[in-house]
Amino acid sequence: MKMSILRQKLKPWMLPISMVAGILFHDFMGRIEFIAPYLIFIMLFITFCRVKPSEFRITRLSWGLLSVQILGAIAVYFCLLPFSPDLAQGTFICVFCPTATAAPVITGMLGGSVPRLATFSIISNLTVAILAPIFFTLMGTDAQIGFIDSLTTISIKVMPLIILPLILALILLKVAPKVHHAVADHQAISFYIWAVSLFIVVGRAVSFIMDEPAGAVPEMILLAILSGAVCCAQFWIGRKIGRRCGDKIAGAQGLGQKNTVLAIWMALTYLNPVSSVAPAAYVAWQNTINSAQLYFKARRDAKSAG
């Protein structure tokens, strides 16, 4: 079997394999978890190289998806806050989290517009870079840290992680356009980096969950259920918005497929760590949907070819 055919057959299973491996080898994550932010940086850089400045257009689709991402996150947070801050934070991060860096890859495989979604990915990530320090500071769990100090600390850690890859991509386009073009032509690499990142953050989240007392299990189950509900809702709403704007696939993936690696990292770092259960569960929900979509797309293509 040719290597390209083997990769094509394995691709729909890469993310489930990463999740299972993260669960099985969670005890070893403490040794390698420090590389997670670097992998996120590389994934964003590769994605940002996909969009040339001339292709960067904010459309009705971008505004529609962004409004749900921000306003929807705020809405679910305040709806759940009276019941539990942990439930509110966990569900919030599942909606607020930006579009996955691998979303353009999946969108292309499903037949959607890659440049359109890559453009929204930039907008989505930059919005999170700007608003995350503010939101996380307002949700802050440590009252001993002042608002300005907390805002500054989070900004220093979050904003460079998301904004610097964009700056580097733009510089590379000007200084070495051939290299920039080569990176843009190898978007599939971000998919495999994402798989490695998923392995790390899922393992870290599982380690945290294993250390939690038995009394926290009901809350964690509820977080996983809420995560599934907002995952399905975002794919559905994104598809509806996308259909009105001429690209239902880009709409669904732009809103539903989240950068869960970044979400889990942010939840563990800046929110109540138990809230990371929600984005960890979101990994399973969204990749179940993506795997199903890729499977049925392959079946349709096979029938068409036959």
Side-chain angles (χ1 to χ4, degrees), residues 68-125:
V68 176
Q69 178 185 335
I70 305 306
L71 299 179
I74 295 172
V76 297
Y77 177 78
F78 282 108
C79 285
L80 293 171
L81 187 59
F83 301 97
S84 166
D86 295 340
L87 296 180
Q89 289 182 6
T91 311
F92 165 86
I93 202 68
C94 288
V95 182
F96 177 67
C97 180
T99 301
T101 54
V105 179
I106 302 296
T107 299
M109 293 171 66
L110 293 173
S113 171
V114 173
R116 205 171 187 183
L117 187 56
T119 297
F120 176 68
S121 177
I122 294 175
I123 298 169
S124 176
N125 278 279

Side-chain angles (χ1 to χ4, degrees), residues 22-170:
I23 293 170
L24 293 176
F25 299 102
H26 65 90
D27 286 338
F28 300 96
M29 291 307 127
R31 304 174 187 176
I32 59 174
E33 64 178 334
F34 70 93
I35 69 172
Y38 300 100
L39 294 176
I40 294 171
F41 185 99
I42 295 170
M43 286 191 295
L44 288 172
F45 169 69
I46 294 173
T47 299
F48 292 161
C49 282
R50 186 68 186 245
V51 181
K52 298 177 182 178
S54 59
E55 296 176 332
F56 191 86
R57 295 186 183 91
I58 301 178
T59 63
R60 285 194 308 127
L61 177 63
S62 300
W63 287 119
L65 298 180
L66 190 64
S67 63
V68 176
Q69 178 185 335
I70 305 306
L71 299 179
I74 295 172
V76 297
Y77 177 78
F78 282 108
C79 285
L80 293 171
L81 187 59
F83 301 97
S84 166
D86 295 340
L87 296 180
Q89 289 182 6
T91 311
F92 165 86
I93 202 68
C94 288
V95 182
F96 177 67
C97 180
T99 301
T101 54
V105 179
I106 302 296
T107 299
M109 293 171 66
L110 293 173
S113 171
V114 173
R116 205 171 187 183
L117 187 56
T119 297
F120 176 68
S121 177
I122 294 175
I123 298 169
S124 176
N125 278 279
L126 292 180
T127 301
V128 169
I130 294 168
L131 295 181
I134 299 172
F135 288 164
F136 292 163
T137 301
L138 292 173
M139 295 177 190
T141 55
D142 191 344
Q144 295 180 346
I145 300 177
F147 178 84
I148 299 299
D149 290 340
S150 179
L151 180 65
T152 302
T153 300
I154 297 174
S155 298
I156 290 172
K157 291 183 178 180
V158 174
M159 294 185 72
L161 182 67
I162 298 174
I163 293 177
L164 284 182
L166 176 60
I167 295 174
L168 182 60
L170 293 174

